[in-house]
Amino acid sequence: MIINNFLIISCIGKDDKLGLRINKDFFIKKFENNKAHNERLVNEISNFLKSHDLPIDEKFSVIVNQGPGSFSRIRVSLAVAKGLEISKKVNLYGYKNNDLKLFNQENIENLLKKNLTEKKLIKPIYLS
């Protein structure tokens, strides 16, 4: 599986981040942990993508963390990712939090090389 340009969403309630890879460059945006975060996620993603002037089309991919983690954060992340898949025809993948030890370009590329992402959407894992 070759995924060149992608947005990776890791919002599970702790150490929430977005990652964006554009032509071998990798950018990370970190979030504060607060309740308003769920309401701002779409705006944060939109601003993050606009700041890097990246066209979102069928060649673009979104990779979303399926958990385990916070019920509301995972549900919002999945809803946003699914919305991008439907509206922009992007490729959507999911991964489990335990499969990505550190959120950096090298580890994300290793995750993709090992085919640990799932193309079918997606079975969230919530913490009790």
Side-chain angles (χ1 to χ4, degrees):
M1 161 180 42
I2 297 175
I3 300 176
N4 291 320
N5 296 331
F6 63 80
L7 170 71
I8 183 166
I9 304 170
S10 181
C11 295
I12 58 169
K14 62 175 185 172
D15 201 25
D16 294 342
K17 297 180 189 79
L18 298 174
L20 183 63
R21 186 171 82 179
I22 309 168
N23 303 325
K24 305 290 183 195
D25 293 324
F26 190 69
F27 307 95
I28 294 176
K29 179 171 181 61
K30 295 181 181 183
F31 290 98
E32 297 177 26
N33 287 334
N34 61 41
K35 292 183 181 186
H37 166 72
N38 286 342
E39 298 168 10
R40 294 190 340 245
L41 184 59
V42 172
N43 287 335
E44 294 287 348
I45 289 172
S46 178
N47 291 338
F48 190 44
L49 293 172
K50 284 178 187 174
S51 71
H52 296 286
D53 195 30
L54 181 66
I56 306 302
D57 57 23
E58 60 276 345
K59 295 178 185 174
F60 190 76
S61 297
V62 175
I63 306 164
V64 63
N65 192 334
Q66 304 175 113
S70 162
F71 176 82
S72 62
R73 297 266 173 113
I74 292 172
R75 295 302 294 171
V76 169
S77 298
L78 291 173
V80 170
K82 188 66 175 171
L84 285 168
E85 179 188 38
I86 292 168
S87 65
K88 299 292 187 177
K89 309 281 190 263
V90 302
N91 298 300
L92 181 57
Y93 300 91
Y95 72 96
K96 293 177 179 67
N97 190 54
N98 299 337
D99 293 332
L100 186 62
K101 301 299 181 205
L102 291 173
F103 193 90
N104 61 34
Q105 184 172 4
E106 180 182 352
N107 285 326
I108 293 167
E109 287 176 358
N110 286 336
L111 176 77
L112 298 174
K113 286 176 188 171
K114 293 177 183 176
N115 278 337
L116 294 176
T117 56
E118 297 178 25
K119 178 90 166 122
K120 54 188 180 280
L121 192 70
I122 283 178
K123 299 176 183 173
I125 305 166
Y126 307 116
L127 294 176
S128 306

